[in-house]
Amino acid sequence: MAGAVHAQPGAGARFDWGLTGAAELGRVCAALVVVDVLSFTTAVEVAVGRGMRVHPFPWGEQAADYALRIGAVAAVGRRQTTPEHPWSLSPAALTTAPAVADLVLPSPNGSAISAAASATGLPVVAACLRNARAVGRWLRRQGYGSTDAPVGVVASGEHWPDGSLRPSVEDQLGAASVLDALSGVPGGLSVEAAVALAALASTPDVPAAVRGCVSGRELVEGGFAADVEVAVRANVSDVVPLLRQGVFSRA
């Protein structure tokens, strides 16, 4: 019974956190939305918008080997880029890096969740502040959001040093922006989704909140303020990255 309750039954749009929340919603939903504003899903939106196919991959050194096997380019850490290899998790860098056909984009949060969700066979969409409204419109056009075809919105969050989930302001606001675009779906919002949406309604300046939250300050203080500025541009994109057979491309 507890498992059934955790799946937020009876709602057309549901909300949860992290890898475990994605697995729970993936059991019962017809589609999943992964949100990792700083920075995986923002980077995916930028790359897919430039015509690249993005392969999600859990964080680790094996990404380079995997990219070599499939004939792709592997993104590296922000501080590991060179003029010859400018591809990284940095959305700002991906706006100017040469477009490649296939990009392996590892990250410990959104990418790992997307890679795991791919195994469910469900449609998985990458959403961020830049494309939240477009994602919501696309899901509604596809018929998701009823009690028979519910959609699960997953805020990736961050990790504490011990590996436990650290809920993050930017991902809650990004997920809530998608839920805002889904607020009129026939199945309605679960309580969890409605509470997440309430956080958005009580945030008068979303870009300022993202800049000032822990994750935003961490990037700014680390010299990557440009990544935050790319990420906070709300609803500037109509790109809907859809995961098909393990690869994000434009829906």
Side-chain angles (χ1 to χ4, degrees), residues 36 40 43 54-64 67 73-77 87-90 103-112:
D36 184 352
F40 174 73
V54 176
H55 301 248
F57 198 85
W59 192 253
E61 296 178 0
Q62 298 85 356
V73 170
V76 296
W87 302 277
S88 77
L89 192 62
S90 162
L103 180 69
V104 175
L105 190 62
S107 91
N109 303 305
S111 193

Side-chain angles (χ1 to χ4, degrees), residues 30-180:
L32 290 177
V33 179
V34 177
V35 180
D36 184 352
V37 170
L38 297 175
S39 297
F40 174 73
T41 54
T42 300
V44 171
E45 182 277 325
V46 169
V48 168
R50 299 188 63 207
M52 298 185 238
R53 293 187 296 269
V54 176
H55 301 248
F57 198 85
W59 192 253
E61 296 178 0
Q62 298 85 356
D65 294 335
Y66 175 71
L68 187 62
R69 288 201 305 271
I70 65 172
V73 170
V76 296
R78 283 179 171 89
R79 298 189 186 280
Q80 297 172 307
T81 58
T82 65
E84 296 74 30
H85 197 101
W87 302 277
S88 77
L89 192 62
S90 162
L94 289 177
T95 63
T96 58
V100 294
D102 289 272
L103 180 69
V104 175
L105 190 62
S107 91
N109 303 305
S111 193
I113 292 169
S114 298
S118 176
T120 67
L122 295 176
V124 179
V125 179
C128 57
L129 291 170
R130 296 170 59 86
N131 69 346
R133 189 176 297 156
V135 166
R137 284 198 305 260
W138 183 86
L139 289 165
R140 295 175 72 147
R141 285 199 303 269
Q142 301 302 310
Y144 298 117
S146 67
T147 52
D148 293 330
V151 56
V153 181
V154 179
S156 296
E158 301 288 343
H159 284 98
W160 290 108
D162 66 0
S164 61
L165 174 71
R166 176 174 69 80
S168 59
V169 166
E170 72 278 7
D171 290 345
Q172 180 161 2
L173 292 174
S177 297
V178 177
L179 292 165
D180 188 37

